[in-house]
Amino acid sequence: MFKAGNKAQTTSDLPQYGLEYPHRLNFYDRPPLFDVTLEEFEVAALDRLRILAEIESSGARNRSWDETKDVTNKQCDKFMPLHSNTAIHVDRDSERKRDVLGHFVLRLAFCRSDELRRRFVKAESTLFRIRYDGQSQVEREAFLQSRDFDWIAVSDAEKEQHSKELYDAYLVSGSYQVNKADREFNFKSEKFYKVRWTRVPDLIERRKVFLKAGWAYVPSREHSSIVFQEFEVCLQKALELTAKALPRLDEDTRLVPILSNLSQGFLAGMSSEWTSGTENGEDIRAEMVDELARKHYPMCMRYMHDNLRRDKHLKHFGRLQYGLFLKVLGLSIEEAIIFWRKSFSGKTDDEFNKQYKYNIRHSYGLEGKGVSYPARSCTQILMPTDKAEYVCPYKLFTPENLQTALLKSYSSQGLTSNDLPEVLNIVKAGHPHVACTRVFEITHASCGVKKGEGVGDGESVTHPNQYAALSIELEKTHREEDFDAMAIG
């Protein structure tokens, strides 16, 4: 069991609505004070990380704010839903407790370096803004009233004293959309608040506030800027405090590996492993592998397959990674032995049986401890290593070599030289899995995949088998649709 915090709660601490957490919006300044299992600890963090990873991917893919909100909301609905207070038939407290738990676990994982803290604050702030925009006016006002944002209401006399300056700033904030009479009427009813100018740099940059003697006069419609700035400042301070306390946690051998895996996944730009069995629902035979590689493989597995065909050999770690990929894709142990025997055509039967057959059976769980090993995920492939045979090509190749490899591998599937600058820019920005996702979209446009859709609901590729299995499924669906259309015609 894991218990966060050291202060017990009483019923007098419970706020309105009869809920322990009365608001969907949260500044996370109250740590979780409840017991959780180790599994709940990890799963809540992984699900939240899936959401934050897609927020980062949205930035790498230059999605608009509306597109980012749409993708993020879909991820939230799938992995960490938060219903409004009107949803009385839903266990809202359980949802919100899980939200808080996931945030604090990730805070432990990502307080360890300046880079992790910066990226975590940016992603969490974006998530907070999206949730803030999605709140009803009633719930948003209730949340704002629950906190002290240290703003000073401007009196009617002071508003009248600076009416011209305030009105000019008010126009910049969007009031020009109505006629003059309506603008003046709305301005008279608008409330203004004073805060120190350092708290609203974004509004100052866009000239949406009036400045005087170090104070910024903020119209109520722009409250969100103060709220967002406050959220970022509070989270940054909390992460720095957590980093100082972290050494005491290193004694817990149960938690440290989980936190390390979470931070490594975030640095790689994704959340966790994609796991599945034979996604295409059909067994794969050895003679099918060449065509599958040509039509459905991501770059990392194309690189493996091409090396195998060229050299009639792969080193140990390359064989392990590619063999597990084929296993998860649907290659049975019998077909795997046939495939590898033909691939190592330079070896005699005796050499093959002695040097390679045992390891193939071992990866299927038929030798040794009897463990059927999973295929490696993008996160694992992207981890630093000196074994180049199983490093992601988007990370390993020079820009020139990557361009050549992409055109060689995917030009028959619709990728052209015009697509390369976009893909290379994504790689340069440090998001290889997003570049792989963009290649997937381009090469599957004929199957109806649109830009921004990724591998479904805007998600990015997180596993080579995910890429290949979905590619096979899309081709099968597209082929059946064409067959149906021909039958109708």
Side-chain angles (χ1 to χ4, degrees), residues 109-121 239 263 266-267:
F110 303 145
C111 68
R112 301 173 174 221
S113 70
D114 289 339
E115 171 67 7
L116 281 171
R117 288 195 292 269
R118 181 189 65 78
R119 288 173 59 176
F120 183 63
V121 169
L239 284 168
S263 60
F266 194 53
L267 283 172

Side-chain angles (χ1 to χ4, degrees), residues 289 297 322-331 339-340 364 465:
V289 173
Y297 278 17
Y322 190 36
L324 292 174
F325 167 81
L326 289 172
K327 181 187 75 170
V328 173
L329 202 60
L331 194 69
F339 169 78
W340 287 105
Y364 278 76
N465 284 96

Side-chain angles (χ1 to χ4, degrees), residues 422-440:
E422 179 185 7
V423 175
L424 292 173
N425 284 336
I426 296 173
V427 173
K428 186 177 179 181
H431 301 279
H433 72 296
V434 179
C436 184
T437 305
R438 182 65 190 118
V439 169
F440 180 90

